[in-house]
Amino acid sequence: MVTGTTVERCEVLVTGAYFADLVFHGLPRPVRPGTEVFAGGFGLVPGGAYTLAMALHRLGRRVVWSADFGTDPFSAHVLSCAGREGLDGSAFRHHPFPVRSLTVALASGEDRAMVSFQDPVGPEPLVPLLRRVRPRVLMFPQLRWDEDAVAAVLTARELGALVVMDCHDTPASLDDPAVRRVLSLVDVFTPNEGEALGLTGAARLDEAVALLSGLVPTLVVTRGPLGATATRRGERYDAPAVPTAAVDATAAGDCFNAGLVHGLLDGRSLTDCLAAAAFCGAAATTGPGSGSALRAPDLDRLLGRPPGRPPGR
């Protein structure tokens, strides 16, 4: 195994596996067992935590991404894409064996089905990396409550970093005390509506929001074409979606989160953060995978802000 070089302090530390997304989009009907459907288009695009890192980098943020790569062609493809985007690879771990992470996405407008595979590889301990890069934000692309994740969250809090955690269809329940504990430690939790219902066991979104907002300071529940519902300090915010002609929604949630964090780093109000997130999420649906993620000047234009505004406080 070869690790990256020494890294400097960053704004955002993204931790999570890459995925190579094989996206079949423009399906005329859902795929059912025993049937064959021809897609209108296909793309092999990088995904997983790559999307978070790339989308934030396009928005002008200093991002370090901690991820594992191997000798397989999927690793090579994502590494090549990361290089073309100019992502900081100093926290990559390169292994002398395959580290395959891939997803087949079957996309039809706002909906999609996915099948994934991942070679197992032991994760890098995050605490030493956190102490080296001292980020303003630590981002988890999925709900984690393992020992290493909890240690990382506690270290991030010690360093004054904001902890943002997605759910990413992780099978979990609030009945598990370990899940409740980690959620009580994060600053921002961003499940989608289905994940919020599954995690809480609630029958209605309002009930799920009440349960989750009792644990996390800021809750943002994405709802696809219905927009997003957020809570902070007892206040509720309902943000509309941005209408768009969707091609593939695979990267929408991660790009939404990138826009949200971009706004948080600027010290924007939650309403403004949700607006930025909505534009970023909507733009991501206009092409396969994450390739349509917005760049900072485009987002500023959509938000009606003057161009050339430097990111940060």
Side-chain angles (χ1 to χ4, degrees), residues 18-22 44 72 74 99-104 115-119:
Y18 87 87
F19 274 84
D21 292 342
L22 289 76
L44 172 58
D72 56 282
F74 303 108
V99 181
R100 298 166 297 176
S101 292
L102 59 150
T103 293
V104 174
V115 178
S116 298
F117 172 83
Q118 192 170 34
D119 281 317

Side-chain angles (χ1 to χ4, degrees), residues 7-15 64-66 90-91 124-140 144 147-165 187:
V7 293
E8 298 179 356
R9 184 170 187 177
C10 64
E11 288 182 291
V12 186
L13 173 59
V14 174
T15 176
V64 169
W65 173 29
S66 173
S90 55
E124 178 182 15
L126 290 173
V127 170
L129 180 59
L130 272 165
R131 294 198 181 281
R132 287 209 310 275
V133 304
R134 302 179 69 84
R136 290 175 58 193
V137 177
L138 169 63
M139 293 192 74
F140 290 92
R144 286 182 54 184
E147 213 171 280
D148 183 57
V150 172
V153 170
L154 291 171
T155 301
R157 292 173 65 90
E158 174 193 326
L159 296 172
L162 195 74
V163 180
V164 179
M165 185 176 283
D187 298 290

Side-chain angles (χ1 to χ4, degrees), residues 31-57:
V31 180
R32 296 186 176 88
T35 68
E36 181 179 21
V37 176
F38 276 83
F42 170 79
L44 172 58
V45 292
Y50 167 93
T51 302
L52 286 173
M54 179 273 289
L56 280 159
H57 177 73

Side-chain angles (χ1 to χ4, degrees), residues 11 61 136 160 264-267 310-313:
E11 288 182 291
R61 297 300 175 180
R136 290 175 58 193
L264 292 172
L265 283 166
D266 272 349
R313 291 174 178 171

Side-chain angles (χ1 to χ4, degrees), residues 51-52 112 166 190 222 249-258 281 284:
T51 302
L52 286 173
R112 82 272 193 202
D166 201 348
T190 61
T222 55
T250 303
D254 286 330
C255 287
F256 179 99
N257 285 344

